[in-house]
Amino acid sequence: MSTLRDTIETTFVAAAFAESNLEEEALATLGKTAKDKATADAKRSATKTSRPRPSLKA
């Protein structure tokens, strides 16, 4: 198990790769593969998206 410092440093390094459009390096830094990314793109259920957004009322 890694420490909090290691986790934060790894995240910042992966973010730097992602900002430079180096997706493969960012995923490799995080220890993930392209297969893991596909499962993260699951769509939300229709019930959450169909609710009206709250608005401010005077």
Side-chain angles (χ1 to χ4, degrees):
M1 184 169 172
S2 64
T3 63
L4 180 60
R5 180 179 178 172
D6 291 336
T7 304
I8 291 171
E9 288 176 351
T10 303
T11 304
F12 277 107
V13 168
F17 281 133
E19 288 175 351
S20 300
N21 293 328
L22 301 171
E23 182 181 358
E24 293 177 10
E25 287 82 358
L27 290 173
T29 302
L30 294 173
K32 297 182 180 181
T33 62
K35 293 179 185 177
D36 296 336
K37 183 182 173 192
T39 58
D41 291 337
K43 293 185 177 182
R44 294 183 182 175
S45 66
T47 57
K48 289 184 180 180
T49 57
S50 63
R51 291 185 290 177
R53 293 186 149 232
S55 60
L56 296 175
K57 296 180 181 177

